[in-house]
Amino acid sequence: MRLATVVRLSLLALTAAAPAACAQDLRFAGPPLQGATTAYNTGEYEIALRLATRAVEEEPANAAAWRILAKIFLATGRYAEAESTLATFQASHPSDPSLWNLLGEVQYSRGRLPEAEQSFRNAVSGRASDSLTALLNLAVLRFERGEEDAALREFDRFIDIYNTRRGRLSPSELAAVAEACRYLGRLDPQLFKDALRAYDEAIAADSADLDRRVRLAELFLEKYNSTDAANTLRDVLAVNPKHARALLAMARVRYFDGESDAERYLARSLAVDSVNPGAHALAATLLADAELYAEAAERAMRGLVADSGAPEVLAVLAAARYLMGDSVGSREALARVHARRPRSGDAEVVLAGMAARARLYAEAVAFSEAAIRRDPRNARARALLGINALRVGDIQRGREELEAAFALDPYDVWAKNTLDLLDTFEDYREIRAGRFLFVIESKDAELLSLYASPLAEEAYDSLASRYGYRPATPIRVEFFRSHADFSVRTVGLAGLGALGVSFGRVVAMSSPGGRRPGEFNWGSTLWHELAHVFTLEMSGHRVPRWFSEGLSVYEERRARRGWGDDPSPLFIAAYAAGKLPPLSRLNDGFMRPSYPEQVVLSYYLASLACEMIEREFGLDAIRAMLHGYRAGKTTEQLFREVLRSDQSALDRRFDAWIRQRFAREFEAVRPRNAPEDRADGRGGIGIAIEGPYVEAM
C-alpha cells in the first residue's frame, strides 16, 4: 500500500504541474489514452506523460492506461517509476493479470531477477493476454542461469505452438515465437530464418508497434546484416526520432560498419534514456577503442545505475580494467558476470574482441579459449579464436576454429571471407630466407623474395641496432596478390584503406603485383611494418597507436630518402588552423578523427613527435618509453618519468619545435575556411598559398 501512496502523489504532482490545456495537446484530440498512445509512438514523451496521467486518473481500473504510463517511464529511463506504477496497479487489482509480464520485464531491466521471475509466473498462472511472452521470459531466465537444456526444450515448444496455432497468434505471440527461434538458432542456424519470418508476420499484423521493428533490426545485426538493420531502423526513426532503443541499435549498426557517426546516434539515445546499460556499454567500448581505458572504465561504472549486475556493462568494465593493467578489478567484474550467467562465454568474447582491437592478439586467443570452455557452442568465440590464431601465426588452428565457427553460424561474413581466403593459400609458396618466412603467390615468389629478403634483413639489423632489441624469428611476411585479399586478412572485409599491417611477428601487406605501378612503395611499406614488429614486441603490444605509427613513419624517413610522409601544404595549413591535436593528445588524430584527412596527417605529425623526442632527449628515451609501456605505464607517467616534463609543458615545447622547423612553410601557406558541406557536418580545411609555389611545397 505504501507504493500506491507514492505513485498517487507523483501522479497528482504531475497533474498540478501541467496546464489544464495547451496548444500542443490539441494535436492529440480525443480520449486521453488514445492521445497518450499516439504521443508515445511518435516520441513526444512529455505530452504522452501528461495524457497518460490523466487517463489513469479518469480510468483507474483500465490496465491499458497504466501500461502506457509505465512504458513512457521505461522509454525515458525512469525504470523505478515504471516498476512502481505497474506494482501499484497489480496491488490495487489483484484479479487482473494484465500487467504482470510487463512488470517482470521492468524488474528484469533493473536486475531484480527473483521478483521478475515471480511476476512472469503470475502472468502465466493468471492467463494474461501476454502469458506466452511471459513463458518466453521464464525460459530466458532459465537459459541465463545456465539451465540451457531445459530452456531450449521450452523454446522448442514455441515451434509447436506456431505450427498448431498459426493464423490465430497475436502480434506479441508471434514476436515471442521469433525470440524463441533466435535462441534455438544455437542448435540449428536455419531457425534464424524462422525468427525473421515470425517477426515479419508480427509486424504485418501490427505495424504501429515500433519495438518489434527494433528487435527485428537487432536480429539482422546479430547475423551481420547491417544494411537491412539500418533500413529497418530508419523506418522506425522516421516515425519516432526519439526512440532510444532504435537510436542505440543504429549506433551499433554504424559502429559495426566502422562509421564515425556512431557516437552521434548514441548521444541521442542517452539524451532520452540516460541510464540504459547497453548504451553505456557501447559508450565505454568506444572509449576503450580510442585507448582511453580509464575513461572507459569510469563510463562503464555509470552503466550500472539501473542494474548493478548488468552483464554487458560488466563485460566491458572487465575489459577496460584489463587493458589499463588492473587485472584484479578485471577478474572481479568477470566474476559478477559469471554469478548471473554461469555458463555464458559472452563476457570473454567481449574481452577477446577488445584485446584484439588493442593489438593484444595472444591475449585475445586466451580469452576466446576461456569463452569456449564455458560455452563450446559460442560461435563468435570460435571465430575470434580462429582469427587471432591466424594473427599470431598458427594457421592450421586458425582454419580449424573458423570452420567450427562457420558450422555454428554460417551468417558470419568475417569467418566466411577468411575461410575463402585460406583456400587461396594453395596458390602461395612459403619461402624461408634468413630470419623471415615469406608467403608469396607462386608466380611471383622467386622474383619478389629475391628483393624482399635482403631488404627485410637490412631492416631487421638497422632496427635491432637502434632499439637494442631482437624479436624472435622467423618473422612471417605475407604478400597478398590483391588488396581485397589483404583487407580480408586484416579486418575480414574488403575495402581497408591501409597497405600493410603488423600483428607482431606476423606481417600482412599487399603485393606489388596487386597494385598498379607507382601506386605504392612496397619497400617503404615493408620497412614500416617491420618497425611495428619491434615496437609491438618490445612494448608487449601495449604501445599506443600514435607512438607506434609515429616511430614506423620516422623509421621509414630515416631508411631512405623519399620514404615515409613529408610535410605538405595541407599539413601546414591544418596545423596552423589548429586542426591537429597537441602531443599529449596525438592518439585522438588516429582513434577519434574529427575530419577525414586527419588520420593521414596524424601519421606525419606523430613521426615528428618521435623525431623531436630523439633529438631532444635521445634514442634511449624512446627505448625507455617502449619498456615503460610494457610495464603498464601510461603516456602521462612516461612523459614525467622519462622526458621529465608534464603534458602541457611538453605540448608547448613540441609546438615551438614544429613552428621553428617549418617557419618558412608557415609563412608560405595559410589556412582558409572550407565549406561545411559534408553530410556529417565535418568540413575539411582549405589552403591559400602565398609566395612562390615551389617554395611553399
Side-chain angles (χ1 to χ4, degrees), residues 159 177-200 216 218-224 377 379 407-412:
I159 294 179
V177 169
E179 282 298 297
C181 289
R182 187 175 72 83
Y183 278 91
L184 289 168
R186 281 173 57 86
L187 302 177
D188 179 2
Q190 296 306 312
L191 285 171
F192 284 107
K193 295 178 181 178
D194 291 334
L196 175 62
R197 183 186 305 114
Y199 266 130
D200 284 342
L216 173 61
E218 292 168 344
L219 177 64
F220 279 133
L221 186 59
E222 183 181 338
K223 295 296 104 186
Y224 310 94
R377 296 193 62 82
L408 290 168
D409 185 2
Y411 301 95
D412 188 335

Side-chain angles (χ1 to χ4, degrees), residues 284 288 292-294 296-297 300 315-326 351 354:
L292 300 170
Y293 304 130
V316 177
L317 177 62
R321 285 176 171 171
Y322 181 85
L323 294 171
M324 62 189 289
D326 180 8
L351 276 154
M354 291 178 70

Side-chain angles (χ1 to χ4, degrees), residues 236-250:
V236 171
L237 294 172
V239 177
N240 180 357
K242 293 184 178 180
H243 196 295
R245 185 166 175 173
L247 290 165
L248 173 57
M250 184 64 91

Side-chain angles (χ1 to χ4, degrees), residues 605-674:
L605 181 63
S607 79
L608 292 174
C610 295
E611 180 180 346
M612 187 210 67
I613 291 172
E614 181 174 2
R615 291 193 177 190
E616 301 280 321
F617 303 97
L619 182 57
D620 284 344
I622 289 177
R623 294 174 177 175
M625 289 181 68
L626 291 170
H627 287 303
Y629 286 123
R630 187 183 193 95
K633 295 182 179 180
T634 65
T635 298
E636 184 177 3
Q637 287 176 301
L638 293 172
F639 282 174
R640 289 197 308 268
E641 296 175 10
V642 177
L643 306 184
R644 306 296 180 186
S645 178
D646 61 35
Q647 294 190 107
S648 58
L650 202 60
D651 285 345
R652 292 192 297 272
R653 187 169 180 172
F654 182 51
D655 179 62
W657 187 85
I658 289 280
R659 293 184 183 280
Q660 180 180 9
R661 172 163 176 167
F662 298 109
R664 292 177 66 214
E665 287 83 354
F666 281 118
E667 285 297 318
V669 178
R670 292 280 188 271
R672 62 177 175 79
N673 292 330

Side-chain angles (χ1 to χ4, degrees), residues 34 61 79 98 116 160 169 188 191 209 232 253 287 299 402 440 458-459 520 550 622 653:
Q34 177 182 324
Y79 300 174
S98 300
D160 295 332
L169 292 173
D188 179 2
L191 285 171
D209 190 302
T232 303
V253 168
L287 288 167
R299 185 55 181 265
L402 284 167
I440 308 172
E458 180 190 348
F520 91 115
I622 289 177
R653 187 169 180 172

